Amino acid sequence: KAGVTQTPRYLIKTRGQQVTLSCSPISGHRSVSWYQQTPGQGLQFLFEYFSETQRNKGNFPGRFSGRQFSNSRSEMNVSTLELGDSALYLCASSWSLTFSSYNEQFFGPGTRLTVL
Amino acid sequence: GNSVTQMEGPVTLSEEAFLTINCTYTATGYPSLFWYVQYPGEGLQLLLKATKADDKGSNKGFEATYRKETTSFHLEKGSVQVSDSAVYFCALSGTGNQFYFGTGTSLTVIP
């Protein structure tokens, strides 16, 4: 079974630009979560989607948004990039039978975003 | 609320030494507990898990026991190898099942 894939793996942008990152979950997984990882803040939860609905949301500004498609693939978008958005963005998928059930998360390799 | 506190790093050990990485948690309800490992340049991989009190998770020589009375889930390995060098994250999923991660503990094993 293929793992979680994320594209692109590396990205360089400049301040003020916007960026879209993509995540394809493990086949059959309906839940996709996004995390931001930085040396200073560690792993911070952005949001989680299940069957195209946002189920959980972390404490990030509205510049960070996401969506999930009917095939469970997910994208996250960051608008008006700031230098502090430079980070490793990790996507994780999990098998959830229903909206109220959960399971352990399987992570992709991440997208390394550098904002200049 | 839910939170995870894990031992500050970095930790440096000689090969074949005993490893303990402490993890304590605060949670409402009955969380599931996890240890994830991140090797350089990679995403996180599930190392082991425990879903109820007194459960012991184990994998690749690593063990952790879910201790409800001390709200702990310490990671141990009897004899570390150079290939165990990585960052280790303790995590919980609780009511509402959002995952909460610790800050990570970097382990370096020297030959």
Side-chain angles (χ1 to χ4, degrees):
Chain A
K1 207 181 228 186
V4 178
T5 58
Q6 292 187 245
T7 57
R9 291 293 310 277
Y10 302 91
L11 207 48
I12 299 176
K13 292 285 188 180
T14 56
R15 276 183 302 174
Q17 287 187 307
Q18 75 164 22
V19 67
T20 299
L21 312 182
S22 180
C23 171
S24 292
I26 292 172
S27 177
H29 285 192
R30 297 161 70 186
S31 164
V32 173
S33 299
W34 288 90
Y35 295 86
Q36 182 195 65
Q37 186 178 28
T38 59
Q41 299 294 319
L43 264 173
Q44 293 188 284
F45 172 74
L46 281 152
F47 29 65
E48 185 232 356
Y49 287 86
F50 175 82
S51 290
E52 302 178 70
T53 300
Q54 189 178 82
R55 185 160 64 171
N56 283 303
K57 188 177 187 306
N59 296 321
F60 275 80
R63 300 186 297 108
F64 292 82
S65 62
R67 60 177 176 168
Q68 187 180 32
F69 302 95
S70 57
N71 62 357
S72 293
R73 191 178 70 84
S74 177
E75 289 181 347
M76 68 161 280
N77 184 276
V78 188
S79 62
T80 320
L81 283 166
E82 301 176 359
L83 294 179
D85 297 333
S86 293
L88 181 67
Y89 289 88
L90 293 166
C91 164
S93 74
S94 65
W95 182 84
S96 287
L97 182 62
T98 67
F99 190 80
S100 59
S101 68
Y102 298 77
N103 212 325
E104 66 258 30
Q105 300 193 342
F106 296 83
F107 283 80
T111 294
R112 173 75 61 185
L113 172 65
T114 302
V115 182
L116 302 176
Chain B
N2 295 330
S3 66
V4 173
T5 302
Q6 69 179 98
M7 171 178 157
E8 294 274 338
V11 174
T12 302
L13 294 173
S14 297
E15 207 164 23
E16 299 183 3
F18 184 86
L19 168 71
T20 299
I21 300 178
N22 290 336
C23 171
T24 57
Y25 67 90
T26 302
T28 54
Y30 303 95
S32 294
L33 301 174
F34 305 84
W35 276 101
Y36 281 84
V37 58
Q38 185 177 32
Y39 299 102
E42 299 183 12
L44 277 69
Q45 300 175 24
L46 179 65
L47 182 59
L48 53 84
K49 69 175 183 178
T51 57
K52 61 182 187 297
D54 299 325
D55 265 4
K56 177 187 280 189
S58 61
N59 185 25
K60 299 181 182 178
F62 291 90
E63 292 184 339
T65 301
Y66 188 148
R67 301 278 187 209
K68 196 168 190 300
E69 64 276 14
T70 55
T71 61
S72 65
F73 193 55
H74 304 321
L75 181 68
E76 295 181 337
K77 187 175 185 182
S79 175
V80 293
Q81 306 300 313
V82 171
S83 57
D84 294 327
S85 298
V87 180
Y88 293 82
F89 292 88
C90 185
L92 73 81
S93 67
T95 306
N97 223 11
Q98 179 177 327
F99 267 66
Y100 298 84
F101 285 86
T103 52
T105 301
S106 174
L107 170 67
T108 300
V109 180
I110 54 177

